[in-house]
């Protein structure tokens, strides 16, 4: 389970949901971070996908992930698409997840000033119209 942070307002633009990814988004709304894992070779893939990029296997399963990761890169975006003007500037980062995946996400709760290689945790950001994921400094006791 990952922390779910209730946010005010609405997201200006929701991520696209498909038949495959709806499981990811529905799980995230409940505090479950998950992705697909190849049932043949064990490779994790993010974003979730119906096939394996390594062995091309067609059998995938859902794998629950921990919250922990390390800040690989971060930036502040000042010039944003019109839908995000009210949220500008946007602080985003790339998180090297403990399972070997990389996540691009919003940085919240002082993660935008964290030094590179800092421990962060992925969190669910629940808005009135949907849930996305972000990262914050790791809270002691969480993994």
């Amino acid at each position: 389970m990952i922390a779910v942070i209730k946010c005010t307002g609405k997201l200006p633009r929701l991520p696209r949901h498909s038949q495959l990814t709806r499981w990811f988004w529905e799980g995230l709304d409940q505090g479950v971070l998950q992705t697909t894992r190849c049932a043949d070779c064990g490779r994790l893939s993010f974003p979730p996908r119906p096939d394996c990029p390594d062995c091309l296997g067609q059998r995938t399963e859902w794998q629950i992930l921990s919250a922990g990761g390390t800040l690989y890169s971060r930036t502040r975006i000042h010039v944003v698409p019109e839908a995000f003007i009210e949220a500008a500037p946007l602080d985003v980062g790339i998180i090297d997840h403990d399972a070997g995946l990389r996540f691009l996400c919003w940085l919240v709760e002082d993660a935008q000033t964290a030094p590179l290689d800092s421990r962060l945790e992925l969190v669910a950001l629940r808005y009135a119209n949907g849930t996305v994921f972000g990262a914050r400094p790791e809270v002691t006791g969480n993994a």
Side-chain angles (χ1 to χ4, degrees):
M1 297 292 285
I2 63 172
V4 177
I5 299 171
K6 292 183 181 179
C7 302
T8 59
K10 292 184 174 184
L11 289 164
R13 185 176 192 135
L14 288 172
R16 188 169 152 217
H17 294 218
S18 69
Q19 184 175 351
L20 173 68
T21 63
R22 78 179 174 92
W23 294 105
F24 172 80
W25 297 112
E26 288 175 3
L28 187 65
D29 190 57
Q30 300 303 312
V32 178
L33 180 64
Q34 58 189 339
T35 196
T36 49
R37 183 181 71 81
C38 178
D40 295 322
C41 74
R43 164 99 190 272
L44 291 172
S45 296
F46 189 83
R49 50 185 294 155
D51 57 359
C52 178
D54 279 353
C55 74
L56 305 179
Q58 300 292 309
R59 297 183 322 120
T60 59
E61 305 167 333
W62 286 96
Q63 174 76 44
I64 295 176
L65 302 171
S66 67
T70 303
L71 180 61
Y72 172 77
S73 180
R74 63 179 160 78
T75 192
R76 176 169 281 175
I77 304 170
H78 294 276
V79 179
V80 298
E82 187 174 335
F84 291 92
I85 286 176
E86 290 186 26
L90 297 176
D91 290 297
V92 296
I94 298 174
I95 310 305
D96 282 339
H97 188 271
D98 292 343
L101 301 168
R102 277 201 166 150
F103 289 85
L104 172 66
C105 60
W106 290 346
L107 299 176
V108 297
E109 296 184 7
D110 297 327
Q112 57 272 56
T113 59
L116 298 183
D117 294 325
S118 294
R119 291 292 299 169
L120 299 181
E121 67 175 332
L122 293 165
V123 295
L125 304 172
R126 186 183 296 152
Y127 288 85
N129 61 335
T131 303
V132 294
F133 57 92
R136 70 179 181 188
E138 192 171 69
V139 177
T140 305
N142 289 350

